[in-house]
Amino acid sequence: MTRPVALVTGAASGIGRATARALAASGHALLLCDRDAGALAEVARELQAEALPLDLLDLAAIRALAAGVSRLDVLVCCAGISGHGLPFAAVDEAAWDAMLGVHAKGHFFLIQALLPAMAGGAAVVIVSSLFALRGSPNMPHYTAAKGALVGMARALAVELGPQGIRVNSVAPGLVRTPMTAHSAGGNDSFFTQREAVIPLRRLATAEDVACSIAYLASPAAAALTGQLLSPSGGEAFTG
């Protein structure tokens, strides 16, 4: 039997890498994308996957990559950049364009370019953020970009549903990843303060989020589209 094919963006680290591992464990053949070619190559070797370095700000590169993909059963849009610590008044045009470009514009045109490779039964999972649902200070462009992804997932669920293509999203809360650790400046209190108010008293891990993504991508979620899961340990219900 031919293995289902999954493409994961942001696969070099964090949630993307955990998702690649989860999909590999469930029998998928993997196409892994990230702009960090070195780290991506390491993950690809580990998982016996194909590494496809990609900068989501480069639309020509997106089209070229998609032209080489003839079949796709699962697409996970996970790549992202941090916007932590930048207040509204300090967001300039370059920061805005980069944030919306990577998260929203890049993934929008990636899905569009890969659509011909997807048939009925294919699944798209878009990684948003809990901050998109409740807002957060000092990261307005990040919040706007992640909010755009939620809306995009719901719109595509309606439009692509008649083709049998499901589109869902996940909204993790704070997850300890290389990107968030860098944003925190190595300060563990950034994480422990959040753990103290989360109902489960722990942060969700990258592996927790990957499990939700793998579920939404699987036949077990065959009746789910336009939905949003928040694997956050209950952080969605806290202030």
Side-chain angles (χ1 to χ4, degrees), residues 84 179-188 190-191:
H84 179 73
M179 186 173 74
T180 58
H182 181 266
S183 296
N187 183 2
D188 278 347
F190 178 75
F191 299 99

Side-chain angles (χ1 to χ4, degrees), residues 155-205:
L156 295 182
V158 173
E159 185 165 346
L160 302 182
Q163 301 176 42
I165 297 171
R166 299 184 299 105
V167 185
N168 293 287
S169 57
V170 296
L174 180 61
V175 176
R176 192 189 294 261
T177 67
M179 186 173 74
T180 58
H182 181 266
S183 296
N187 183 2
D188 278 347
S189 65
F190 178 75
F191 299 99
T192 56
Q193 287 171 5
R194 290 307 306 164
E195 286 180 323
V197 298
I198 294 172
L200 289 183
R201 294 298 188 268
R202 74 170 182 90
L203 298 177
T205 65

